[in-house]
């Protein structure tokens, strides 16, 4: 199942799927608030070594928040 | 298939019976998996496995459909699969080596598989392997992680050597604090912490802790850790290192993400007995033994049964090794409970099958639930004990059926 189409979907696929399939994103939805997705991506960068620069970090968080974030905010 | 309970339906049912928020005995509403987890769920087939419910393709995380858990022993080809890191080598049994040593061992050595099998007394034991995050997906509110339903667990007859016997041969020091395990699997990026885990020395030296090379009379399946994995009966599966290649006796606590940050629970919130003192912080502690729990395995939400015809509710119950006292079943949304008939006893670390037969008479919705109690008198919780990673979910699970 492909990720939802949006301008940064390709960036998310290229970075996240280095280590894991993107169903990790799909199954963790839609319940995370923006701070929740930011914490997940920060963990991937700081702990797991995901190669994202600051601009890419912001774009990935923005994509996840808008496409797979909580539907209750 | 996974039993999916629609909350609104359930709340209506319990509300009609006056149990929501009003009763101390009524089971709480059972939450469903996140909608994204249900949409991305497929029945997928890994080599050598029956179709399992895919949570993630890579690394492979697949759970058993609840119907596969209908019997006390889970067949190897129906056993759940859980990996943290995607670099999972196919192990050649003849070139595999297990190194035993560490700073608290006087003499390190290596074992071949044949040596592991023949130079140590073999021990057989039935034990439940349950992922710490089993049922995480049923957390309400949801918490991030692999969104497991009820099937990240399996019960097998393991055969292996006592870990203690391997450690004694290495001349392990009395001052050993922890024993650490590493598997052959690894990360794809240099920056990702390798999955390494430790257990307290007292647990490593327990007669029941094994280095297993057989599962249900066969070599371990690749996906379950061929050729050998650690078995820590009663404790959650995070410590049951697959494809184990290294066992180290340590004079100090193991540090790293997988011990210091992951697989931890808030202190004092859960009815656990075993402690892992060397890894405790002010506020949290590593997860230890499995909580007392049960699962109805032969009913599905909304299933229809005939009034006047015998209905047999079947399921499993288990705990962290204290042993079960009894399993009770309610057919009136938790108002009254009756004892279930227990099946064969495979030992205190095993799941135990149970069944409850009755003849329903009244037509309409019937809310069925099961509740296990262990020998310490500890039973399942009615309200989820909220924790950041969604561990230890042993909430009583109601299932609504229709009597027609």
């Amino acid at each position: 199942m492909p990720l939802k189409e949006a301008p940064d979907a390709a960036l998310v696929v290229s970075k996240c799927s280095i280590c894991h399939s993107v169903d990790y994103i799909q199954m963790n939805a839609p319940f995370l608030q923006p701070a929740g997705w930011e914490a997940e991506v920060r963990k991937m960068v700081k702990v797991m070594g995901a190669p994202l620069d600051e601009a890419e970090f912001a774009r990935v968080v923005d994509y996840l928040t808008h496409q797979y974030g909580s539907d209750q905010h | 298939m996974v039993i999916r309970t629609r909350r609104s339906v359930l709340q209506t049912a319990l509300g009609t019976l006056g149990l929501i928020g009003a009763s101390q005995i009524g089971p709480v509403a059972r939450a469903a998996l996140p909608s994204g987890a249900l949409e991305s769920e497929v029945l997928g087939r890994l080599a050598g496995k029956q179709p399992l419910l895919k949570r993630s393709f890579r690394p492979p995380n697949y759970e058993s459909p609840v119907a596969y858990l209908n019997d006390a022993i889970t067949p190897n080809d129906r056993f759940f699969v859980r990996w943290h890191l995607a670099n999972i080598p196919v192990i050649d049994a003849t070139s595999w080596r297990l190194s035993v040593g560490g700073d608290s061992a006087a003499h390190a050595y290596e074992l071949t598989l044949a040596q592991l099998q023949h130079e140590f007394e073999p021990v057989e034991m039935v034990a439940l392997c349950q992922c710490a995050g089993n049922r995480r997906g049923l957390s309400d509110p949801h918490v991030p992680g692999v969104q497991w339903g009820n099937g990240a667990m399996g019960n097998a007859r393991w055969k292996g050597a006592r870990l203690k016997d391997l450690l004694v041969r290495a001349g392990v020091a009395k001052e050993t604090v922890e024993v650490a395990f590493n598997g052959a699997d690894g990360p794809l990026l240099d920056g990702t912490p390798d999955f390494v885990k430790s257990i307290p020395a007292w647990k490593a030296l327990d007669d029941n802790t094994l280095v297993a090379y057989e599962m249900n009379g066969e070599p371990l399946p690749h996906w379950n850790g061929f050729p050998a994995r650690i078995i820590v009966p009663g404790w959650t599966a995070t410590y049951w290192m697959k494809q184990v290649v290294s066992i180290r006796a340590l004079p100090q606590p193991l540090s790293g993400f997988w011990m210091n940050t992951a697989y931890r629970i808030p202190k004092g919130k859960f009815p656990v007995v075993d402690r892992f003192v060397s890894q405790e912080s002010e506020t949290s502690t590593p997860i230890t033994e499995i909580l007392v729990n049960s699962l109805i395995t032969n009913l599905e939400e909304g299933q229809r049964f005939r009034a006047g015809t015998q209905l047999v509710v079947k399921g499993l119950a288990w705990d962290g090794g204290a042993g079960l006292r009894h399993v009770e079943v309610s057919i009136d949304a938790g108002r009254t409970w009756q004892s279930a008939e227990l099946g064969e006893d495979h030992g205190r670390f095993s799941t135990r099958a149970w069944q409850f037969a009755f003849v329903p008479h009244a037509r309409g919705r019937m809310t069925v639930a099961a509740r296990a109690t262990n020998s310490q008198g500890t039973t399942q919780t009615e309200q989820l004990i909220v924790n950041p990673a969604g561990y230890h979910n042993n909430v009583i699970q109601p299932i609504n059926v229709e009597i027609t």
Side-chain angles (χ1 to χ4, degrees), chain B residues 26-302:
Chain B
V28 297
R30 163 169 149 173
L33 295 182
S35 59
L38 293 172
E39 288 159 13
S40 62
E41 169 189 299
V42 293
L43 272 173
R45 192 186 277 272
L46 293 167
K49 291 283 184 180
Q50 295 295 314
L52 297 169
L53 290 167
K54 188 277 304 176
R55 297 282 162 236
S56 69
F57 286 113
R58 185 174 61 95
N61 286 297
Y62 290 70
E63 68 178 275
S64 302
V66 166
Y68 287 7
L69 302 172
N70 210 23
D71 299 308
I73 302 289
T74 316
N76 291 0
D77 64 358
R78 297 181 166 207
F79 209 93
F80 81 104
V81 173
R82 197 277 181 263
W83 294 83
H84 298 82
L85 304 171
N87 188 356
I88 306 165
V90 174
I91 304 282
D92 167 34
T94 55
S95 57
W96 175 83
R97 295 289 182 276
L98 174 59
S99 77
V100 184
D103 290 346
S104 288
H107 23 268
Y109 62 94
E110 278 194 349
L111 291 174
T112 64
L113 184 56
Q115 287 176 302
L116 176 66
Q117 291 167 329
H118 301 301
E119 295 183 6
F120 300 88
E121 182 190 349
V123 177
E124 287 195 36
M125 176 185 314
V126 181
L128 167 66
C129 177
Q130 181 182 248
C131 176
N134 193 32
R135 304 187 182 187
R136 173 186 293 120
L138 305 176
S139 297
D140 183 10
H142 290 300
V143 294
V146 176
Q147 298 297 310
W148 297 112
N150 283 292
M153 56 175 278
N155 194 57
R157 178 177 296 279
W158 310 94
K159 180 180 178 183
R162 289 186 193 92
L163 175 59
K164 175 180 151 182
D165 293 346
L166 272 66
L167 291 169
V168 165
R169 185 185 283 192
V172 66
K174 283 190 174 59
E175 293 75 21
T176 301
V177 173
E178 296 179 2
V179 175
F181 314 116
N182 195 7
D185 60 322
L188 292 163
L189 293 174
D190 289 342
T192 306
D194 194 11
F195 183 68
V196 184
K197 296 292 291 188
S198 64
I199 57 175
W202 66 266
K203 191 67 175 171
L205 295 169
D206 188 301
D207 277 347
N208 296 305
T209 303
L210 306 181
V211 184
Y213 44 78
E214 275 186 25
M215 176 174 171
N216 293 328
E218 296 173 352
L220 304 184
H222 166 70
W223 299 114
N224 298 109
F226 179 84
R229 78 180 299 174
I230 304 294
I231 304 299
V232 191
W235 282 31
T236 61
T238 183
Y239 304 105
W240 297 40
M241 185 64 66
K242 298 182 289 295
Q243 296 190 331
V244 61
V245 291
S246 156
I247 296 170
R248 290 180 297 141
L250 303 178
Q252 74 286 318
L254 179 70
S255 62
F257 172 78
W258 298 107
M259 294 305 297
N260 303 139
T261 306
Y263 289 107
R264 299 184 73 92
I265 56 172
K267 262 182 168 172
K269 283 189 101 169
F270 293 99
V272 288
V273 175
D274 288 349
R275 289 180 62 184
F276 194 161
V277 174
S278 56
Q279 293 282 347
E280 288 180 5
S281 74
E282 284 293 311
T283 56
S284 73
T285 179
I287 193 167
T288 53
E289 80 265 28
I290 296 164
L291 292 193
V292 64
N293 215 338
S294 64
L295 179 67
I296 293 172
T297 54
N298 73 329
L299 300 185
E300 291 194 36
E301 181 71 11

Side-chain angles (χ1 to χ4, degrees), chain A residues 17 20-21 23-24 28-29 48, chain B residues 36 54 57-58 61 145 147 192:
Chain A
S17 62
H20 62 81
S21 46
D23 44 13
Y24 270 80
N28 280 283
M48 299 299 176
Chain B
K54 188 277 304 176
F57 286 113
R58 185 174 61 95
N61 286 297
Q147 298 297 310
T192 306

